[in-house]
Amino acid sequence: MSRVALEEKRAWGMLLVAIVSYAVFLAVVLGRSGDEPLARTPYVAALLWTVGGAIVANIVLHIALAALFPEDAGTKDQRDREIHRFGEHVGQSFVVLGGVAGLVLAMAGSDPFWIANAIYLAFVLSALLGSATKIVSYRLGFHPW
């Protein structure tokens, strides 16, 4: 049985934290909407708390993984660095798309609710795509060009 690299474990953690934090955000915002239009729903506090919570959760998860697997902590080989870089580059595509979507929505005069949500969704998709890319690279093999 092959050992799972610490960096792959971190990618799994980031994937799960991104899913859970965005699900919490959606549950809170949609739960508050009631009969009002969605764009009038208070979202700022929920967005800030879920983003902050996701950051703290990832930090705690990284520390916990390093404590649980001390033999792997602090050891990254060339393959780990290349997979990390590749995953980050792939994930960043959604950050760019989110920025463009935010600009387009702003130029179209959209409500700040939609602009903020489009950008937040892009960050979440970036984390998901980057993490999934890393996991697939670890599982199926990574072959740099």
Side-chain angles (χ1 to χ4, degrees):
M1 182 175 188
S2 65
R3 281 179 49 186
V4 176
L6 183 63
E7 294 304 311
E8 182 183 351
K9 292 172 189 160
R10 288 179 173 169
W12 278 106
M14 175 70 130
L15 184 81
L16 293 174
V17 167
I19 290 169
V20 169
S21 64
Y22 194 66
V24 167
F25 171 75
L26 287 177
V28 169
V29 171
L30 293 175
R32 288 181 180 171
S33 65
D35 293 334
E36 290 287 321
L38 199 53
R40 291 193 187 147
T41 304
Y43 69 94
V44 175
L47 192 146
L48 293 174
W49 278 105
T50 55
V51 169
I55 292 168
V56 169
N58 272 312
I59 291 169
V60 169
L61 186 61
H62 279 81
I63 292 168
L65 286 171
L68 290 170
F69 304 98
E71 67 278 1
D72 295 334
T75 59
K76 273 189 180 182
D77 61 13
Q78 184 62 28
R79 180 174 175 255
D80 289 329
R81 285 188 286 278
E82 289 180 11
I83 288 174
H84 178 77
R85 185 175 34 250
F86 180 63
E88 292 299 308
H89 284 243
V90 170
Q92 291 302 313
S93 61
F94 273 102
V95 172
V96 172
L97 290 173
V100 170
L103 285 172
V104 169
L105 288 169
M107 288 186 286
S110 297
D111 192 277
F113 174 89
W114 297 112
I115 298 168
N117 278 280
I119 294 170
Y120 184 30
L121 177 60
F123 279 116
V124 171
L125 293 175
S126 172
L128 294 176
L129 182 61
S131 296
T133 299
K134 292 173 191 176
I135 292 165
V136 168
S137 294
Y138 276 108
R139 291 289 158 174
L140 300 180
F142 179 70
H143 308 286
W145 290 284

